[in-house]
Amino acid sequence: MAKPRQRSIKSRASLAGHPLHPVMIHFPVAALMALVASDIGFLLSGDPFWLRASLWLAGVGAFGGWIASTAGIIDLVTVPRIRRLVTGWSHAIVAVVMLSLASLNWLLRFNDPSAILPWGLAVSLLTAALIALAGWLGGQLVYEHAVGVEVKD
């Protein structure tokens, strides 16, 4: 059975027709994924460099993620076709939980850099797992629902 033809869902948070959310998430995602490696670097070496690196990675990931999420929220609440998608809401909820954990992780480290072990590492690993889930859901929005892409005939 042939699939019905998909129509594009345009982003309202865009610049020159390019959706901002997918552009803005790369650095926060990279920082939060590198945070896991940095935490493991401290675990294995005990070098305080990794404490400082982890603090910065946690901060860039959390703050950058909240900034990037504003473009996603704009699309979610202003584009009715996105608002009707369970996948859109699921992506948003997972992202909010993940960014809340990333913020907690940064606060733990800001107040006590030695908090990397065991709580910082545990939160970093959980955050990385939620990033993977949010990314998978975001991919579904793009590839299955054509959110923010131009579908040609």
Side-chain angles (χ1 to χ4, degrees):
M1 177 170 202
K3 272 178 104 173
R5 191 164 41 173
Q6 188 113 20
R7 288 184 13 231
S8 299
I9 301 177
K10 299 233 184 264
S11 171
R12 292 254 168 92
S14 62
L15 185 62
H18 299 282
L20 292 176
H21 179 66
V23 172
M24 297 168 70
I25 61 170
H26 295 289
F27 282 112
V29 165
L32 292 171
M33 297 305 275
L35 178 57
V36 174
S38 181
D39 286 351
I40 292 171
F42 178 72
L43 176 67
L44 296 177
S45 72
D47 187 343
F49 163 80
W50 296 112
L51 292 174
R52 290 189 312 276
S54 292
L55 174 66
W56 280 96
L57 288 168
V60 167
F63 290 110
W66 285 114
I67 292 167
S69 72
T70 58
I73 292 292
I74 289 169
D75 284 342
L76 182 66
V77 300
T78 65
V79 180
R81 287 182 57 207
I82 296 174
R83 227 180 16 251
R84 287 191 295 265
L85 295 172
V86 171
T87 307
W89 285 102
S90 299
H91 175 73
I93 290 166
V94 169
V96 166
V97 171
M98 180 268 302
L99 286 171
S100 298
L101 283 173
S103 300
L104 171 67
N105 206 354
W106 178 77
L107 280 172
L108 282 172
R109 294 157 195 275
F110 186 79
N111 292 327
D112 181 14
S114 64
I116 283 182
L117 301 174
W119 298 112
L121 178 58
V123 175
S124 295
L125 289 168
L126 182 55
T127 300
L130 290 173
I131 288 170
L133 178 57
W136 181 71
L137 292 166
Q140 278 191 318
L141 289 169
V142 171
Y143 294 109
E144 291 181 20
H145 300 288
V147 173
V149 295
E150 188 68 34
V151 177
K152 302 286 183 193
D153 289 336

